[in-house]
Each structure stands twice: as structure tokens, then as C-alpha cells.
Amino acid sequence: MQVNTMIYEVTRRCNARCEHCLRGPTQKIDMSNEVINKSLEGIDYISNITFTGGEPSLAVDRIRYILEAVKLRKISVDSFYLVTNGKVKSLDLCIALMEWYAYCDSNEISSFCISKDQYHSREIGSIKEADTLYKALTFYHEDERQHDITSLINEGRARTNKIGERDASTSVHCERNDDGIIESIEEVYINALGDVCTGCDLSFSSQKKNKIGSVLTESLEQIYQK
């Protein structure tokens, strides 16, 4: 089975409290080995793996474990994507992403950046140390996009602070062969609890209402067959 975009919520921890955060209050939860292992059952190809959170730089061991699990199963991966808040420079993160860079097949589209929008800038302050370190990576890209209120998703703290105006996108798309067997899935969002959700832009609380299954009890193929 193939997956176009596999999104891993590697942690629900964060070292910031940005006013526009769509996740909401943080939780002391990291993705388990069991969730990672079960999420990869039956998969032979992933176009892109995205690491999110929480703040993914706080769970480098999870990012590394996903790579180990992918290698063990000989799953082909084209590229990866990760955005950090840049509050802390992390050599461990650099090394982990270089290991991913060495493994992926299409590295010209792999991407890593610090989010420098106005909300992160107000909360985080100077990111000079992290920015200087990460610029040494060939796949690091600048991200200085600024948000206007119409672009903020009305979830989590953005909803609480009444600054989010855009609804989160939720959808499920997969392709079946003539026998009804799933051959590919467009996007899979797996949260730190192992739940498969219908979108990546949901708060932790909204994910409960928008989950379609759990990899701890069913395979991805079984979940999407439903």
C-alpha cells in the first residue's frame, strides 16, 4: 500500500505558548514505539513524511525511531518535512534530519525550516542561535511568511483568543483497485495517541471528534476500508 503524505504528531509537548496555536493546551505525551510500528504495517511506499507536534524538536528520539522502523521494513520514502519554532538549537535534530536526508530518494524536495511569522516571533524572541546552526543544512529553507487573521485556523488557542477565522479542512481520500482493495491513501494524520484523524489542522480536543480509527486496534487498510 502507498501513502502520499504521512503526518506524525510525534509529541504533544511544546516549549512555547503561541497565541495562534491551533493545537491548544499542551500535553506530556510522546508517540510510542507501538504506534509507530503499527502505523507502518502493510505500507511499502511513502511520498512524504511530515513531523509535527507539539514542538517536534522535543521528540528527536521519535523522529529517529520512525526512521529505524521505516528502514527495517524497507519502505521507500521520497522526502520529509519539519517546521520548528527555533526556540532551542538542537544538534541532535540536525543529525537526525541528516540521517533522514541520506535515506530519502528525492532529497531536492525535503524541507526543514523555522517558522518566523509574527506570532512565533512575539512568543519566541531571538532565534539567532538555532537559525545559524540550521542554515548549515542544505535542505534548510527560510520561512518568513506572515499571517493575517483570515489565514489562521479557528482551532485551539486561536479559537480561544478569537483570532482564527478559517475552518480546518477535513477529508479522507483513498484509491481502491477493481477488487476493492486499497492501493493508496492521499493523507494520513496519526496523532501521538495512535488515532488516525481526518485532517492535520485540528486541535487536540477536536481530534477526538474527527478520528476514524486507531492503529493500536486496526491496520490503516482496515481503517480506510470503513
Side-chain angles (χ1 to χ4, degrees), residues 2-18:
Q2 301 182 354
V3 177
N4 185 42
T5 303
M6 179 81 89
I7 306 172
Y8 283 106
E9 182 189 282
V10 291
T11 184
R12 290 189 164 187
R13 293 180 291 133
C14 191
N15 51 9
R17 290 177 54 86
C18 299

Side-chain angles (χ1 to χ4, degrees), residues 16-137:
R17 290 177 54 86
C18 299
E19 61 183 311
H20 73 312
C21 178
L22 61 85
R23 300 295 185 214
T26 59
Q27 301 171 14
K28 294 181 179 180
I29 299 173
D30 290 345
M31 182 171 278
S32 69
N33 291 357
E34 184 181 11
V35 166
I36 294 167
N37 290 330
K38 288 186 175 294
S39 72
L40 295 171
E41 290 179 2
I43 295 176
D44 52 36
Y45 168 79
I46 301 171
S47 179
N48 174 268
I49 289 183
T50 295
F51 306 105
T52 186
E55 169 50 42
S57 68
L58 300 179
V60 176
D61 65 321
R62 303 294 80 208
I63 294 170
R64 276 206 171 97
Y65 188 85
I66 294 169
L67 179 58
E68 292 174 12
V70 163
K71 285 182 175 179
L72 182 66
R73 292 160 178 80
K74 296 181 171 61
I75 299 171
S76 177
V77 179
D78 280 345
S79 64
F80 66 86
Y81 178 63
L82 186 148
V83 179
T84 178
N85 62 28
K87 187 171 184 177
V88 177
K89 69 174 183 178
S90 172
L91 184 58
D92 284 346
L93 179 61
C94 286
I95 295 171
L97 293 184
M98 284 191 288
E99 291 168 352
W100 267 104
Y101 187 79
Y103 182 79
C104 289
D105 296 326
S106 301
N107 278 318
E108 66 274 7
I109 57 174
S110 290
S111 183
F112 168 50
C113 63
I114 299 174
S115 182
K116 299 178 180 179
D117 61 65
Q118 67 269 37
Y119 298 101
H120 279 104
S121 297
R122 281 202 294 265
E123 171 68 19
I124 305 298
S126 174
I127 55 161
K128 184 176 181 180
E129 290 189 4
D131 202 34
T132 300
L133 174 64
Y134 298 152
K135 280 180 179 177
L137 301 171

